[in-house]
Amino acid sequence: MRKINSRRIPVLLLMAVLCLQMNMNPAVAEETAAERGYRLLTTRAYLPPDFDQGVFDDLWKVWPDDWKQKAEQASPEERRELIFSYYGIMQRPESEEAPLGYVVTPEQKWVMNCFNCHGGKVAGTVIPGAPNSHVALHTLTEDVSKVKLQQLKKLSHMDLAALGIPLGTTHGTTNSVIFGVVLDSLRDPEMNFDRSRPVPELLHHDMDPPAWWNVKRKSRIYVDAFVTKNHRMLMQFILIPRNNAGQVKEWEADFADILAYIESLEAPRYPWSIDEKLAGQGQTIFNEHCARCHGTYGSESNYPLKTVAISELKTDPVRLNSLPAAYRAALNQSWLSRYGKDPVVESPGGYVAPPLNGVWASAPYFHNGSVPTLWHVLNPQDRPEIWKRTENGYDQSQIGLEVQTYSKMPEGLSRMQKRLYFDTSQFGKSAAGHDYPDELTIEQKKAVLEYLKTL
């Protein structure tokens, strides 16, 4: 029989105790709800796939000649980066290959998740929960359809939807509100799919995705704060016909964890220099002129969740008008609102002033993404009519996107090229309104701009 060295016995006992503790301690052995929510978002497919790896690998073959030539001469790794860049697909921060906005199944099928819109990059750095101001959903879907036809593959639900619904007319925005209207309207209060149910007249318009890290400060969500916050309302975008009522309700616990993840996010800190003295002056001015709507920040922070009437705010009204009262009322009777226990505001009358934590990282601004920098928010008369952003540039002077501005759209552009430009003259894209900064002097605006870096 082998003898055990007596000097090793304390070490063996310690290892046994540690193993026992790890098995018995839930904090060590189990994920938190927030950790589980992130894992579910990035690994579980709640929708059918949009395309497979073979389609993804061939997307560059339907590009314009200049981009196609770059891709043809690139290595496979470089070509993948080009495809991500072209369509605004973000790479998952903890992975060298996996996309953030898609779940790639073991069968190499690409399934969209919430990060496609709510996981973006700021100055070239990917930040989960930041608005994806690069997303090019309609362009991607058009090109996917072309490649599938070449490869004799079946079109997906997204490909077919794009034939009748614009998915986004400017890169960085999507027609997401109308997606929800269609999907919600075809469900009865118990979430059974019913194709015979009426769908209201659709007022297509583009929305800028909001930053997720401010969800924790709100008791009601969306730009007009018409929905009481709960995890069921996050499930609107999985209400495709294939997911029946039983399946939707089976996934409810998943979305409770996903909401826990969203509410765990903290706003990123401004990474460059700040003039602390000027920012301190800006805080005083902000608290006097802006805090009544946007709240206060720091150790004594308070957020009022104030809805401002559209007649006063005067920003683009299309989003407000796109949800008919009957649609909002139906949500009040739905499983999504717990049959009205989480009330839906049927006539909000305006838009909510959002929290401004991490505002430096959430450009462009306004609900439709029409204003490229905070300087332009503070200087209404100087907002550009048409602008185009660079991919990774950041304007540290004006705080926001690095842009080129135009007085009119360049001529001879393809449909895809036009989506690279934000044209504020188009329906639902106005940059007007929110004229409150006109009350401030130039020096006061400079101080407020500096203060906004600190939030």
Side-chain angles (χ1 to χ4, degrees):
M1 182 180 293
R2 182 181 177 186
K3 293 183 179 180
I4 298 177
N5 187 332
S6 60
R7 287 178 295 182
R8 292 186 61 200
I9 291 176
V11 176
L12 293 171
L13 287 171
L14 178 61
M15 290 175 63
V17 170
L18 286 174
C19 289
L20 183 62
Q21 287 180 338
M22 288 180 69
N23 288 331
M24 295 177 63
N25 186 349
V28 175
E30 297 181 7
E31 299 171 299
T32 65
E35 290 169 341
R36 194 161 53 246
Y38 179 77
R39 176 176 58 79
L40 290 168
L41 272 176
T42 54
T43 62
R44 178 164 288 181
Y46 297 100
L47 296 168
D50 291 335
F51 49 86
D52 61 25
Q53 189 66 42
V55 170
F56 175 88
D57 291 340
D58 278 2
L59 283 169
W60 64 276
K61 295 180 180 179
V62 299
W63 286 355
D65 288 341
D66 53 343
W67 275 83
K68 187 188 297 184
Q69 186 176 8
K70 290 180 188 178
E72 195 167 20
Q73 296 171 352
S75 68
E77 294 78 15
E78 293 169 335
R79 187 177 298 150
R80 175 184 168 279
E81 291 177 5
L82 281 172
I83 294 173
F84 273 41
S85 171
Y86 194 85
Y87 299 112
I89 300 172
M90 299 297 121
Q91 181 169 306
R92 201 181 305 172
E94 73 274 17
S95 170
E96 293 184 359
E97 293 187 359
L100 180 62
Y102 289 86
V103 174
V104 182
T105 70
E107 299 78 25
Q108 297 299 291
K109 308 283 189 178
W110 286 55
V111 182
M112 191 188 307
N113 66 28
C114 303
F115 281 124
N116 196 50
C117 292
H118 295 280
K121 59 180 176 178
V122 181
T125 299
V126 176
I127 304 176
N132 186 356
S133 57
H134 297 78
V135 62
L137 186 57
H138 201 101
T139 297
L140 172 59
T141 305
E142 282 184 335
D143 288 355
V144 162
S145 296
K146 293 175 187 176
V147 175
K148 284 180 179 178
L149 292 174
Q150 292 175 356
Q151 296 183 357
L152 302 179
K153 291 178 177 175
K154 186 177 180 180
L155 298 180
S156 73
H157 71 292
M158 186 65 71
D159 306 322
L160 297 173
L163 298 176
I165 297 178
L167 306 183
T169 61
T170 300
H171 290 182
T173 64
T174 67
N175 190 19
S176 57
V177 172
I178 299 305
F179 304 163
V181 170
V182 173
L183 296 173
D184 293 343
S185 297
L186 293 174
R187 297 279 170 159
D188 70 12
E190 292 294 335
M191 295 293 97
N192 296 300
F193 178 75
D194 182 356
R195 194 178 296 276
S196 69
R197 290 174 64 83
V199 175
E201 182 179 355
L202 302 179
L203 203 60
H204 297 298
H205 63 287
D206 291 337
M207 289 287 291
D208 176 49
W212 265 356
W213 53 73
N214 282 321
V215 171
K216 66 165 69 73
R217 299 200 70 183
K218 303 175 181 179
S219 59
R220 299 195 308 275
I221 55 175
Y222 301 134
V223 69
D224 52 3
F226 86 107
V227 167
T228 300
K229 179 173 64 179
N230 72 19
H231 59 273
R232 291 184 180 181
M233 282 295 181
L234 304 182
M235 303 177 76
Q236 294 178 75
F237 299 105
I238 66 167
L239 297 180
I240 60 169
R242 192 181 80 169
N243 293 336
N244 61 32
Q247 179 64 83
V248 169
K249 292 174 182 178
E250 184 179 317
W251 282 331
E252 181 181 2
D254 288 12
F255 279 80
D257 291 335
I258 289 169
L259 180 57
Y261 165 72
I262 293 171
E263 294 196 309
S264 75
L265 294 173
E266 297 291 336
R269 307 306 301 175
Y270 188 77
W272 299 290
S273 62
I274 297 174
D275 184 331
E276 298 293 346
K277 181 178 179 180
L278 185 60
Q281 297 170 4
Q283 181 177 13
T284 299
I285 298 164
F286 180 93
N287 287 342
E288 290 174 353
H289 293 269
C290 313
R292 67 184 177 89
C293 293
H294 290 288
T296 56
Y297 300 82
S299 58
E300 300 296 327
S301 63
N302 177 62
Y303 175 60
L305 196 72
K306 179 180 175 62
T307 295
V308 183
I310 193 67
S311 58
E312 176 190 335
L313 190 59
K314 298 177 182 177
T315 54
D316 196 294
V318 173
R319 161 61 180 79
L320 188 65
N321 297 334
S322 69
L323 301 184
Y327 165 80
R328 299 177 192 262
L331 284 178
N332 247 334
Q333 309 300 318
S334 166
W335 179 86
L336 294 171
S337 69
R338 297 195 304 144
Y339 310 104
K341 290 180 181 178
D342 297 326
V344 172
V345 180
E346 296 179 13
S347 299
Y351 298 130
V352 70
L356 300 180
N357 301 83
V359 68
W360 70 272
S362 61
Y365 302 101
F366 291 7
H367 68 274
N368 56 7
S370 59
V371 182
T373 73
L374 287 173
W375 184 89
H376 289 110
V377 172
L378 293 171
N379 293 273
Q381 304 308 314
D382 294 307
R383 292 171 190 162
E385 295 179 24
I386 299 169
W387 52 269
K388 177 186 176 185
R389 66 167 303 169
T390 62
E391 181 173 3
N392 294 320
Y394 188 91
D395 191 329
Q396 296 181 44
S397 173
Q398 297 191 336
I399 313 302
L401 305 183
E402 181 182 70
V403 299
Q404 294 174 286
T405 62
Y406 305 82
S407 59
K408 63 178 183 178
M409 284 287 287
E411 296 180 357
L413 300 177
S414 67
R415 286 185 301 174
M416 180 274 176
Q417 289 171 326
K418 288 179 180 178
R419 296 185 193 122
L420 296 171
Y421 296 79
F422 198 106
D423 183 352
T424 62
S425 71
Q426 297 301 303
F427 181 76
K429 291 181 170 290
S430 171
H434 193 274
D435 297 328
Y436 308 107
D438 287 341
E439 301 171 359
L440 306 178
T441 66
I442 293 176
E443 294 305 315
Q444 286 176 318
K445 291 178 182 180
K446 288 180 180 178
V448 170
L449 187 63
E450 198 70 15
Y451 173 61
L452 294 176
K453 297 178 184 178
T454 71
L455 302 184

